[in-house]
Amino acid sequence: MLALDRVSKTYPNGVQALARFSAEIRQGEIVAIIGGSGCGKSTLLRAIAGLDRASSGTVILDNEAIASPHAKIGIIFQEPRLLPWLSVADNIGFGLADAPAAERREKVARALERVGLAEKAQAWPRELSGGQAQRVAIARALVPQPEVLLLDEPFSALDAFTRRDLQDHLLDLWADTRPTLILVTHDVDEAVVLADRVLVMRPRPGRLFDQIEINLSRPRDRNSPLFENFKRSVLTSLDRSLDRSVPDRDATQGPGQAMWW
Amino acid sequence: MSSDAPVLQQTSEPAESAAAPSRLARYARPMLGVLLPLTLALGWEFLVWRGWSNGRLVPPPSRVFATIVDLARSGELVRHIAATLWRVGLGFAFGVVAGTLLGAISGYWSLARRLLDPTVQALRAIPSLAWVPLFILWLGIFETSKVVLIAVGVFFPVYLGVMGAILIVDRKIVEVGRTFRLSGPAMIRRILLPAVLPAYVVSLRVGLGLGWMFVVAAELIGASEGLGYLLLDGQQLGKPAQILAAIVIFAILGKLTDWLIEIAAAPFLRWQDAFGRTRGA
Ligand SMILES: Nc1ncnc2c1ncn2[C@@H]1O[C@H](COP(=O)(O)OP(=O)(O)OP(=O)(O)O)[C@@H](O)[C@H]1O
Ligand SMILES: [Mg+2]
């Protein structure tokens, strides 16, 4: 389990990006984080990844405090961030440098197959399309089999069609080992398609505003009325989060009262 | 991807027909650059041949070429080239090693940069030839002072190139290394080194260019062999053809060694996605 306990972050320039963010995330859960621009979503993700340290509060994964990057936590950024001097296959195997060569080759081959890029194994990153590059980034993060995978707007630079394709892909891959997924997104549709629970954040300072359980079985039908309902709930909550006249509710409340309004 | 196939077929045809003129252009374009000097040289040759000029101070290409052949026959040429190459090679090696080490330290370790860099920059501001008298006093007139002078010339561009390249390595890529928990040495080997390689190759080429510049200076100051000596000898004995011969050989050697670096680096830089690449430069 991943426990965030009053995680706060104030940047050296005085910006309070994150204030007392608390949440508990079950192993294997898919959580979407949504909120207005600048409300601290990336900051939160970087604190969980151990890339930046929280100013106060703790991130605890399986009874272990996270202060620096951890083997059990993988991250996918908004850009693919492939290493341009490595072939696609070597990029995917980047996190397996310590594994025996045969095992590495085998895992990379399987991952390539899994993301549908087997014939691009020896290509350079510059030869990939944006969607293909992001799939390589997903494979690279998944190959070491992290327990928690963080995704910071991973599909936001892609067109709607490719995005859907990759969302399905991601769910597919997730089903293999069922890591915890924490996904930052601006796309309500994406949040409702993927997540078991949507956390809505509110800016200045960034904090938890609301959470919405998405009780829909998978695979989800994007056109079903229930799906539309959940989308509407998330949208409404998002609107309210940006409306300064709406007071904070106690963000530490359990998920049970998610639809309190 | 099956969906790629029709797109590929569509574009392949015009691409192929475009390849033919571009192949022509590839050979024709360098020829364009040769046109001007070639015309001038032939024109001058013609003028001297017709007797419109005696070509005493500006010998025509044929006379320069004859001088080179003469020097080669007597074995002098090889001796001079070897002496110069040896000096440049040695100075370049020392300069590169020192520049790379110090540049890497300053780039990687900010405390070292604060300690070291101001001094290096101050030294860099001194025109390197100003060291010559001191080097001669300290190290004598022979090989050591020459090699050191060349090494100093090579050092600065390499130092600056390495340090600068490390400082501007993309934080985003370094973060990828961090998320995979690379240790310090692994980070250097797997992220920093490949990331700085393109800039490093450029700094080596700049350094080599300066090395050639400084070998001339060093040999003009006092040498009994070397291409710079040929220059000086040609001046003192009034043999402009010999001076021009030495200059031509300098040009050829400079271009050749630069090209060697380029060739040696090319396999490591195939991944580059840069403007110059698409231009077949
Ligand atoms: N390195 C930094 N130094 C100073 N302030 C920062 C830094 N990074 C982010 N901030 C500030 O912290 C706040 C939260 O930033 P963050 O990047 O976490 O937002 P976000 O929710 O990810 O926004 P977006 O949806 O636009 O990506 C913003 O006000 C931003 O200006
Ligand atoms: Mg962000």
Side-chain angles (χ1 to χ4, degrees), chain A residues 46 51 81 119 126, chain B residues 1 175 178 181 190 270:
Chain A
R46 294 176 59 85
L51 284 173
R81 299 198 186 182
E119 78 277 24
R126 69 176 143 87
Chain B
M1 305 252 70
E175 264 176 13
R178 287 183 59 206
R181 301 178 322 290
R190 301 183 63 192
R270 268 181 312 145

Side-chain angles (χ1 to χ4, degrees), chain B residues 149-279:
Chain B
L149 182 67
I150 294 165
V152 166
V154 173
F155 170 83
F156 288 108
V158 173
Y159 169 87
L160 271 188
V162 171
M163 184 184 74
I166 293 177
L167 288 179
I168 59 159
V169 170
D170 192 356
R171 173 191 57 83
K172 292 180 173 175
I173 291 244
V174 174
E175 264 176 13
V176 171
R178 287 183 59 206
T179 60
F180 286 104
R181 301 178 322 290
L182 296 188
S183 61
M187 184 72 99
I188 292 174
R189 185 171 56 82
R190 301 183 63 192
I191 304 272
L192 294 181
L193 262 184
V196 304
L197 197 61
Y200 186 53
V201 171
V202 171
S203 74
L204 287 185
R205 291 172 67 178
V206 175
L208 184 66
L210 280 169
W212 281 109
M213 208 163 110
F214 279 77
V215 80
V216 178
E219 289 178 345
L220 281 178
I221 287 156
S224 53
E225 55 182 3
L227 293 169
Y229 164 80
L230 274 188
L231 289 175
L232 196 65
D233 187 60
Q235 180 220 320
Q236 284 167 349
L237 302 183
K239 294 189 284 191
Q242 182 179 317
I243 297 180
L244 281 174
I247 287 176
V248 167
I249 293 167
F250 265 126
I252 293 172
L253 287 179
K255 184 70 197 160
L256 214 64
T257 46
D258 182 64
W259 182 68
L260 278 180
I261 295 185
E262 209 182 328
I263 296 284
F268 302 101
L269 296 179
R270 268 181 312 145
W271 52 269
Q272 266 191 309
D273 185 10
F275 172 67
R277 227 194 130 75
T278 58
R279 309 285 301 271

Side-chain angles (χ1 to χ4, degrees), chain A residues 121-187:
Chain A
Q122 294 315 317
W124 296 113
R126 69 176 143 87
E127 295 162 343
L128 300 179
S129 72
Q132 290 170 336
Q134 197 58 301
R135 270 188 282 167
V136 173
I138 294 173
R140 176 177 68 184
L142 280 172
V143 147
Q145 303 196 328
E147 266 178 37
V148 177
L149 184 61
L150 311 169
L151 303 99
D152 193 353
E153 303 182 34
F155 310 136
S156 62
L158 306 172
D159 65 281
F161 184 77
T162 315
R163 199 182 309 162
R164 278 194 178 199
D165 187 43
L166 286 194
Q167 286 161 1
D168 295 342
H169 241 91
L170 181 68
L171 275 181
D172 240 29
L173 293 166
W174 169 80
D176 287 353
T177 54
R178 302 208 167 226
T180 307
L181 294 189
I182 303 178
L183 167 98
V184 168
T185 177
H186 277 136
D187 181 353

Side-chain angles (χ1 to χ4, degrees), chain A residues 211 213 249 253-260:
Chain A
Q211 22 188 331
E213 296 275 349
R249 87 196 165 96
Q253 261 176 284
Q257 297 101 41
M259 299 210 295
W260 56 281

